[in-house]
C-alpha cells in the first residue's frame, strides 16, 4: 500500500511537471497512471481534467467536444467530493460554457455556469479568482450589468491594484468601445491596417505646430433613462420621477490610460499589456508610440505575441515604404512557430508577404522568387525571399 501511494504521488508530480511545460499528452499519460493506482486521488483527477480542457482548445469540434465531456465528468466528481475546491468549481463553469459554445455558438454561456460563478464570488473574493471569472464573462461578451466583466474587474481592482487587473479591465473597456463602434472593431479584426489613414512616413514628416494643443474631445452625453413610478393614490403626493444616468461611453483615450498604468506597474514586463497598448494606440492614430510598443512586445516570452507584434511592425514599415525593416520583421516571423496562428492572422500573413514581394518588384532592387513551403501540416503557405 505504501509503494502504491508513493507511485501515484510520483506520477501526479510528473504530470504537473509536463503540464507546466505545455506537454499535455505526456501530462495526461502520467495523470492516468496515477489514477490507475489510486482512482480517488483528487489532485491527479483535477490535473487530468485541466489538461483535457486545455487540449480541447487545439482540436477540432468533435475531438474538442469529447475532451470537454470527459473533463466535465472529472470536474463534477471533484465538486461532489470536495465542494470547497474553488478552482475545480471555476473550471466546471468554464467547461460548461465551452461545451455550450460548441453546440450553440451564439449563446451567452450556460445558466448553471453563471450560478457556479456567482456562488464562488460570494464565498471567495480573492483577486485572482475574480480575474478568472471576469475573463470568462469577457470571453462571452457580458460587459455591462451585474455581474459583468467590467464590474468584476473593478471589484478585483479594489483588492489588488496590479498590472494584470488593470490590463484585464482595459480589455473589457475596449470591448465595450468596439461594441458601440463596430466599424472600428472591423478594422481591428482585419489587422488595424485596412482603414484609410495617414501612413507612418507621413506622420513622421508632418511638422507639429507648437501652437496647436492636443485637446481630447469630450464624449457625447448619453441619453437619460427615466424610471417610471407608480401613480399616486388620492390624497398622496405624487412621487418624483427618478432619472437614472447611464454610464458615459468608453473612449479609446480611457483605454490607453488604463493600459499605460498596467505597463507602468509591471515596468514593461507585462508584454501582453504592451502589445494591447500598441494596438490601441495605432487605432487612436498615435502610430509612433504604437511602433515603439510593438517593438517592445516582440521580446515577449509568449511566441504568439511575438508573431503578432512582428506582423504589426511589418505592416507599419511596409506602409511607410521602409522595406528593409519590413523584411527584417518578416524574417523574424518565419523563424517562429506559425501553427498557432488563428485564421485571421494567417490571412493577414498571406497578404503581407504578397504585398512585400510586390513592393520589392516595384523597386526592382531585389530578385524575388515565389516558392511554396509548408513545414507543418497546417502551416500557412508562404513566400520565401532569395537574395
Amino acid at each position: 500500500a505504501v509503494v502504491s501511494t508513493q507511485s501515484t504521488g510520483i506520477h501526479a508530480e510528473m504530470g504537473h511537471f509536463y503540464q507546466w511545460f505545455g506537454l499535455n499528452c505526456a501530462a495526461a499519460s502520467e495523470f492516468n497512471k496515477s489514477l490507475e493506482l489510486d482512482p480517488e486521488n483528487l489532485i491527479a483527477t483535477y490535473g487530468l481534467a485541466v489538461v483535457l480542457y486545455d487540449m480541447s482548445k487545439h482540436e477540432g469540434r468533435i475531438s474538442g467536444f469529447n475532451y470537454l465531456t470527459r473533463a466535465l465528468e472529472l470536474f463534477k466528481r471533484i465538486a461532489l467530493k470536495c465542494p470547497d475546491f474553488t478552482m475545480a468549481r471555476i473550471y466546471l463553469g468554464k467547461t460548461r460554457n465551452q461545451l455550450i459554445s460548441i453546440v450553440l455558438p451564439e449563446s451567452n454561456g450556460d445558466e448553471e455556469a453563471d450560478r457556479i460563478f456567482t456562488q464562488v464570488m460570494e464565498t471567495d473574493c480573492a483577486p485572482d479568482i475574480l480575474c478568472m471569472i471576469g475573463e470568462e464573462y469577457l470571453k462571452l461578451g457580458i460587459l455591462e450589468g451585474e455581474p459583468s466583466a467590467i464590474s468584476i474587474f473593478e471589484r478585483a481592482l479594489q483588492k489588488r491594484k496590479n498590472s494584470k487587473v488593470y490590463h484585464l479591465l482595459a480589455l473589457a473597456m475596449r470591448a465595450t468601445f468596439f461594441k458601440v463602434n463596430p466599424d472600428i472593431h472591423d478594422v481591428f479584426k482585419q489587422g488595424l491596417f485596412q482603414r484609410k489613414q495617414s501612413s507612418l512616413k507621413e506622420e513622421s514628416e508632418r511638422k507639429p505646430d507648437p501652437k496647436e494643443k492636443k485637446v481630447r474631445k469630450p464624449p457625447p452625453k448619453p441619453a437619460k433613462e427615466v424610471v417610471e413610478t407608480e401613480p399616486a393614490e388620492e390624497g398622496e403626493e405624487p412621487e418624483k420621477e427618478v432619472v437614472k444616468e447611464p454610464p458615459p461611453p468608453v473612449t479609446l483615450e480611457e483605454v490607453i490610460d488604463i493600459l499605460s498604468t498596467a505597463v507602468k506597474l509591471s515596468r514593461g514586463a507585462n508584454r501582453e499589456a504592451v502589445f494591447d497598448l500598441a494596438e490601441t494606440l495605432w487605432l487612436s492614430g498615435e502610430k509612433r508610440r504604437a511602433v515603439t510598443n510593438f517593438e517592445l512586445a516582440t521580446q515577449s516570452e509568449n511566441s504568439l505575441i511575438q508573431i503578432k507584434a512582428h506582423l504589426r511592425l511589418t505592416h507599419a514599415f511596409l506602409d511607410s515604404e521602409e522595406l528593409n525593416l519590413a523584411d527584417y520583421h518578416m524574417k523574424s516571423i518565419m523563424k517562429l512557430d506559425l501553427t498557432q496562428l488563428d485564421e485571421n492572422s494567417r490571412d493577414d500573413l498571406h497578404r503581407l508577404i504578397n504585398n512585400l514581394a510586390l513592393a520589392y518588384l516595384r523597386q526592382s532592387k531585389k530578385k524575388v522568387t515565389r516558392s511554396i513551403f509548408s513545414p507543418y501540416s497546417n502551416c500557412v503557405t508562404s513566400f520565401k525571399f532569395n537574395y
Side-chain angles (χ1 to χ4, degrees), residues 87-232:
M87 291 299 296
R89 293 175 67 197
I90 291 176
Y91 267 103
L92 175 59
K94 287 163 65 76
T95 305
R96 294 185 69 96
N97 279 338
Q98 195 69 15
L99 279 167
I100 287 291
S101 69
I102 293 176
V103 179
L104 300 170
E106 301 300 323
S107 68
N108 287 327
D110 180 68
E111 291 183 2
E112 179 64 20
D114 190 50
R115 187 183 65 80
I116 292 170
F117 294 146
T118 303
Q119 289 178 348
V120 169
M121 287 190 289
E122 289 173 355
T123 56
D124 193 336
C125 297
D128 290 339
I129 298 298
L130 291 173
C131 284
M132 284 189 70
I133 296 173
E135 284 184 273
E136 194 66 16
Y137 281 97
L138 175 58
K139 186 171 70 175
L140 293 170
I142 304 174
L143 306 170
E144 298 171 331
E146 187 67 39
S148 66
I150 290 179
S151 66
I152 293 171
F153 292 141
E154 286 176 342
R155 186 175 166 188
L157 202 58
Q158 293 173 357
K159 297 181 175 294
R160 183 186 299 168
K161 290 179 169 58
N162 64 9
S163 176
K164 178 182 177 180
V165 182
Y166 274 108
H167 181 203
L168 291 172
L169 176 60
L171 292 181
M173 292 180 67
R174 190 174 71 179
T176 306
F177 174 83
F178 286 152
K179 200 172 182 179
V180 180
N181 301 274
D183 56 332
I184 298 180
H185 191 204
D186 289 340
V187 173
F188 175 79
K189 290 189 293 185
Q190 295 171 14
L192 307 182
F193 293 82
Q194 304 303 315
R195 186 171 56 175
K196 288 185 178 179
Q197 302 180 21
S198 61
S199 68
L200 192 63
K201 187 177 181 181
E202 290 172 353
E203 184 181 285
S204 62
E205 290 175 350
R206 186 171 60 242
K207 294 181 180 179
D209 186 355
K211 297 181 181 179
E212 182 183 354
K213 293 183 179 180
K214 189 174 181 181
V215 180
R216 291 182 179 178
K217 294 182 180 179
K221 293 183 178 180
K224 295 182 179 180
E225 181 184 348
V226 180
V227 179
E228 295 181 359
T229 57
E230 295 182 0

Side-chain angles (χ1 to χ4, degrees), residues 165-319:
V165 182
Y166 274 108
H167 181 203
L168 291 172
L169 176 60
L171 292 181
M173 292 180 67
R174 190 174 71 179
T176 306
F177 174 83
F178 286 152
K179 200 172 182 179
V180 180
N181 301 274
D183 56 332
I184 298 180
H185 191 204
D186 289 340
V187 173
F188 175 79
K189 290 189 293 185
Q190 295 171 14
L192 307 182
F193 293 82
Q194 304 303 315
R195 186 171 56 175
K196 288 185 178 179
Q197 302 180 21
S198 61
S199 68
L200 192 63
K201 187 177 181 181
E202 290 172 353
E203 184 181 285
S204 62
E205 290 175 350
R206 186 171 60 242
K207 294 181 180 179
D209 186 355
K211 297 181 181 179
E212 182 183 354
K213 293 183 179 180
K214 189 174 181 181
V215 180
R216 291 182 179 178
K217 294 182 180 179
K221 293 183 178 180
K224 295 182 179 180
E225 181 184 348
V226 180
V227 179
E228 295 181 359
T229 57
E230 295 182 0
E233 296 181 3
E234 292 184 5
E236 295 183 358
E237 292 184 3
E239 294 183 12
K240 294 182 179 179
E241 290 184 342
V242 180
V243 179
K244 190 178 179 182
E245 294 279 356
V250 176
T251 63
L252 282 179
E253 286 78 11
E254 290 177 295
V255 177
I256 288 170
D257 289 342
I258 297 174
L259 282 170
S260 298
T261 303
V263 173
K264 287 176 184 176
L265 286 175
S266 70
R267 297 183 180 180
N270 187 345
R271 300 293 197 225
E272 287 79 4
V274 172
F275 177 78
D276 288 320
L277 173 60
E279 289 198 311
T280 311
L281 284 167
W282 189 279
L283 277 175
S284 70
E286 298 185 53
K287 297 185 179 180
R288 278 295 168 188
R289 278 185 67 194
V291 166
T292 301
N293 283 279
F294 279 135
E295 288 173 343
L296 186 58
T298 60
Q299 302 169 25
S300 171
E301 294 180 0
N302 185 331
S303 59
L304 185 58
I305 294 294
Q306 288 183 43
I307 294 171
K308 290 186 174 182
H310 282 299
L311 273 173
R312 301 292 188 261
L313 287 167
T314 308
H315 261 305
F317 291 123
L318 185 58
D319 186 45

